[in-house]
Amino acid sequence: MGDHVGFGDRWSVRSRIALFTGTVVALLCLAFSVVLVWSLHVVARETLLQEVTAAGGRVAYLVDHDQVRSVLPPEGPNRLIQVVDPQGRVRAATPAVAGKPAMATFRPPAPLRKATREVCGGVFGAGRCHIVVAQQVYDDGGDWTVYSAAPVQGFAAPPALVAGLVVGSALVTGAIAYGTRRSVNRALVPVRAIRAELDEINASDLGRRVPVPQAKGEIHDLAQSVNYTLDRLEETLEQQRRFTSDASHELRSPITAIRAQVEDALRAPQESDLREIGPAVLKSLERLQAIASDLLTLARLDAGAPCEREWLDLGRLVAAELDVRRPVRRVVSRLYPGVIVRGDRIRLGRLIANLLDNAERHAVTTVHLEVRREDPPDGDPRFRFGLAVLEVLDDGAGIAHDQREFVFQRFTRLDAARSRNIGGAGLGLPIARQIAESHGGSLTIIDSSRGARFLVCLPLSQEP
């Protein structure tokens, strides 16, 4: 089936906004026109009622002063008046209703002296309706009633007014829609510039950045966010290129050594001694395997691969790692019991092993280990139960203060303090820090009188 293209997909943003604004304005104009015409109708009806009441009031004044005649002078076109005595007989009327029965029979309810109703038929003719106002006049012989009437005006707007409202509404709607489209078009100029620059960046140079408008607003914030994203992307790509280059360099060394040894053996098989070649090749393969294992571990940590979480005694975990090692240097340990953390046994074991490998590689005679618990720091919810601390200290040359963060970068080794010939691919400490951070903790280097002092802080847990 083909892709369905909706109305919104066929129109640009400025067109949709202009259409929406024009529709709203048109509806508002329509509502205003209806209210205006209805208001004019109501005003005309009230004016007619006032005129009819005033005409009847003048006749009521004559009745009250005994000046009324049987035939009343006309009050105007379509203005009908009758004077009815207490017995319901018509005593006076305008010429149009002279000699006809009373136009109405209702009277104002006491204590009111005036009432208004709409009366249809009767003296007015079939299907014709009039507004009738009844006004009561007191006389010695009883209550007289003066009826005044005028035809009911239908709801009909003047054609000129309707035409003016239609033309005016169309002009206002068109002008506002056009102005809105122009305003949105001007507001989107920076967006088009950002898009064009992004197209150029995708096609050529990732180091370029999109223009940031001077005016503060959403587009200004968007441009800053895009540039920040580009900064992070460029940094990530640079790290990836550097990582790939370093990994290739590290893998090349053992592969080159293996190739040279095998080529020498093939070139002179009678002169080659398998007992000499085998251990050398095996050593290079072990180094190659270690680098591949470290790269796989980093890939899993970067991907956030899930791991098993269990309650572990950190002191026992360190003791178990010491039991399976063949220490190259003397190890002095002080492991306090009951330091419980929640984490992955294999990954935390890898963290401990990497720190011990690093310490033994650079220690002169002794490596000091300590596992303890500390009070929780203020304001950090991760350590609400306290800190589980692992401290690893060697008596080697140490690390300069300005290079302490540098050693946690991948494939990094300090040539001056820590010789490249000692071994290691520069991945052990980055892996250890990433494992600590994945468990909600940290791995840092702190001051010491001699050697390098690594401090691992993990959230202390309460074992159920």
Side-chain angles (χ1 to χ4, degrees), residues 109-144:
L112 301 178
R113 299 187 61 182
K114 184 176 65 174
T116 303
R117 289 185 185 178
E118 186 174 315
V119 179
C120 298
V123 298
F124 305 121
R128 301 180 64 184
C129 297
H130 283 59
I131 294 178
V132 179
V133 178
Q135 301 183 62
Q136 209 164 42
V137 181
Y138 294 102
D139 192 274
D140 294 338
D143 295 335
W144 291 59

Side-chain angles (χ1 to χ4, degrees), residues 202-458:
N202 291 331
S204 58
D205 184 13
L206 190 60
R208 297 171 59 175
R209 295 295 177 264
V210 300
V212 179
Q214 294 182 353
K216 300 293 184 180
E218 290 78 4
I219 299 179
H220 177 274
D221 297 339
L222 172 63
Q224 287 188 328
S225 297
V226 170
N227 285 337
Y228 176 73
T229 303
L230 291 173
D231 290 338
R232 293 291 304 274
L233 179 60
E234 185 179 18
E235 180 182 353
T236 301
L237 291 177
E238 180 60 29
Q239 290 178 352
Q240 184 179 11
R241 285 193 293 265
R242 187 167 57 249
F243 179 80
T244 304
S245 175
D246 293 340
S248 301
H249 179 74
E250 292 295 333
L251 292 173
R252 186 186 303 119
S253 298
I255 293 176
T256 302
I258 294 173
R259 180 182 180 89
Q261 291 157 358
V262 173
E263 287 179 348
D264 289 342
L266 292 176
R267 190 177 298 112
Q270 288 78 15
E271 299 177 3
S272 302
D273 188 354
L274 185 60
R275 288 172 298 182
E276 295 179 357
I277 297 176
V281 172
L282 184 59
K283 184 177 180 181
S284 298
L285 288 174
E286 289 175 351
R287 177 176 173 79
L288 188 63
Q289 184 179 10
I291 295 175
S293 177
D294 287 342
L295 292 176
L296 180 60
T297 301
L298 284 173
R300 290 174 177 172
L301 291 172
D302 289 339
C307 58
E308 296 292 334
R309 298 286 177 138
E310 56 181 315
W311 279 273
L312 301 169
D313 188 313
L314 188 58
R316 293 182 180 178
L317 198 61
V318 174
E321 179 63 29
L322 291 175
D323 290 340
V324 299
R325 296 179 69 86
R326 297 177 182 176
V328 181
R329 302 288 187 266
R330 185 169 69 96
V331 177
V332 178
S333 60
R334 184 165 56 180
L335 311 176
Y336 290 95
V339 182
I340 305 300
V341 297
R342 182 169 173 79
D344 183 89
R345 181 184 298 271
I346 297 177
R347 291 187 179 180
L348 288 178
R350 180 67 180 275
L351 181 151
I352 297 169
N354 286 2
L355 291 180
L356 287 174
D357 288 341
N358 180 78
E360 290 183 347
R361 185 179 300 121
H362 303 290
V364 177
T365 59
T366 308
V367 174
H368 293 270
L369 283 174
E370 183 178 355
V371 172
R372 63 180 184 274
R373 58 191 305 165
E374 294 182 358
D375 294 333
D378 296 333
D380 196 335
R382 296 178 302 167
F383 306 110
R384 61 183 181 277
F385 298 122
L387 287 174
V389 178
L390 168 62
E391 183 178 309
V392 181
L393 172 64
D394 64 65
D395 59 353
I399 303 175
H401 190 276
D402 59 346
Q403 293 181 324
R404 289 179 180 176
E405 285 299 315
F406 187 64
V407 299
F408 291 108
Q409 297 181 10
R410 299 174 183 182
F411 296 108
T412 296
R413 284 169 297 210
L414 304 181
D415 295 334
R418 305 195 164 203
S419 173
R420 184 183 182 90
N421 297 326
I422 294 178
L427 294 176
L429 293 180
I431 290 175
R433 168 172 275 191
Q434 204 157 345
I435 291 174
E437 292 176 348
S438 68
H439 284 75
S442 62
L443 170 59
T444 55
I445 303 175
I446 60 177
D447 294 334
S448 61
S449 58
R450 183 181 180 186
R453 188 180 182 186
F454 290 83
L455 194 68
V456 179
C457 296
L458 298 174

Side-chain angles (χ1 to χ4, degrees), residues 7 21-22 51 61 84 101-102 118 146-147 152 162 182 188 257 284 298 315 317 368 423-424 429 457:
F7 171 79
T21 305
E51 292 177 356
Y61 176 82
V84 180
E118 186 174 315
V146 177
Y147 292 106
V152 175
V162 174
R182 289 286 303 273
L188 292 179
S284 298
L298 284 173
L317 198 61
H368 293 270
L429 293 180
C457 296

